[in-house]
Amino acid sequence: MKIICIGRNYSEHAKELNNPVPAEPVFFMKPDTALLKDNEPFYLPDFSNDIHHEIELVVKISKAGKHISQEFAKNYYEQVTVGIDFTARDLQQQCKEKGLPWEKAKAFDGSAPVGTFITINHSEINTLPFHLEINGETKQVGNTTDMLFSVDAIIAYVSKFVTLKTGDLIFTGTPAGVGAVKIGDKLKGYLNNQLMIDFEIK
Ligand code: ZN
């Protein structure tokens, strides 16, 4: 399986990183070795001093497809959760300044924790609230209604370039409020006020 991530999909987050709001979706990938499941702890890597949390709605692809039209995109997923797109912000900034790819800042081991998947009604996909708490304090609040590109638009766009396969995951972008994590932090991610992921930074 592969993990596809959308960047800059909420205008308030693009602004907080001084990035322009994109005219079409920006995507990048993480390998399967980035996946963290079952509330396993995340171990802070030694190559970065600024690992940021980015809570995101995560969509699981349920059927293989290429050149999927937006109209039919809903036939390609049934389950969603929230996940964290951990980002080595210091390395990412260096890569951006040099015009280099961001892979080492985004694709490292354990950089994609995901919660328990739940089946949703497709009618709710564009109105899903989610949030992240760290040590009991709310740090990020989002709603899929604020996405620049909807889940269906993302599936249509990405599948023009990359065949989607059953089990692939799409991280759909983070709202504003990203920040650094430290050892001992306890992260809880909620979708529709339901706890989906609960893990610790070690
Ligand atoms: Zn992200």
Side-chain angles (χ1 to χ4, degrees):
M1 55 80 69
K2 55 189 175 290
I3 302 168
I4 294 158
C5 304
I6 306 300
R8 305 174 190 175
N9 201 23
Y10 291 83
S11 59
E12 291 303 314
H13 169 63
K15 280 185 214 157
E16 76 180 341
L17 295 184
N18 294 315
N19 289 318
V21 171
E24 54 185 28
V26 175
F27 74 90
F28 55 92
M29 297 204 214
K30 298 185 187 234
D32 57 4
T33 42
L35 197 62
L36 263 193
K37 292 191 288 195
D38 305 323
N39 293 327
E40 287 174 296
F42 172 75
Y43 288 87
L44 272 185
D46 58 10
F47 51 72
S48 170
N49 294 311
D50 199 22
I51 298 287
H52 276 201
H53 55 79
E54 295 189 353
I55 191 167
E56 310 196 358
L57 179 82
V58 179
V59 177
K60 185 186 277 185
I61 297 297
S62 58
K63 188 168 83 166
K66 174 143 181 91
H67 292 300
I68 299 164
S69 72
Q70 187 168 333
E71 182 190 358
F72 295 116
K74 61 179 178 296
N75 298 331
Y76 291 81
Y77 63 92
E78 290 159 9
Q79 293 198 308
V80 300
T81 188
V82 292
I84 310 292
D85 167 20
F86 277 127
T87 304
R89 196 70 72 200
D90 44 359
L91 299 187
Q92 187 190 33
Q93 188 56 33
Q94 292 164 16
C95 292
K96 280 179 172 174
E97 283 166 9
K98 294 178 186 163
L100 294 172
W102 306 340
E103 250 67 16
K104 69 179 179 183
K106 285 286 196 180
F108 52 87
D109 289 357
S111 62
V114 293
T116 309
F117 283 88
I118 54 163
T119 302
I120 47 134
N121 289 325
H122 291 108
S123 59
E124 332 173 81
I125 192 72
N126 295 319
T127 54
L128 287 173
F130 61 98
H131 71 276
L132 173 68
E133 286 178 13
I134 302 183
N135 306 327
E137 193 181 327
T138 302
K139 293 287 186 180
Q140 288 188 268
V141 178
N143 191 303
T144 56
T145 199
D146 297 321
M147 286 180 167
L148 297 171
F149 303 100
S150 68
V151 169
D152 291 0
I154 290 166
I155 287 173
Y157 184 82
V158 172
S159 72
K160 286 200 271 188
F161 302 93
V162 181
T163 299
L164 299 177
K165 295 173 79 172
T166 304
D168 287 351
L169 301 180
I170 304 180
F171 278 64
T172 57
T174 198
V178 300
V181 293
K182 60 182 191 310
I183 291 173
D185 281 348
K186 292 187 171 54
L187 277 66
K188 290 184 198 284
Y190 295 82
L191 180 63
N192 258 337
N193 290 315
Q194 187 180 339
L195 182 63
M196 311 298 284
I197 187 169
D198 179 359
F199 70 107
E200 187 173 351
I201 309 292
K202 290 197 169 177

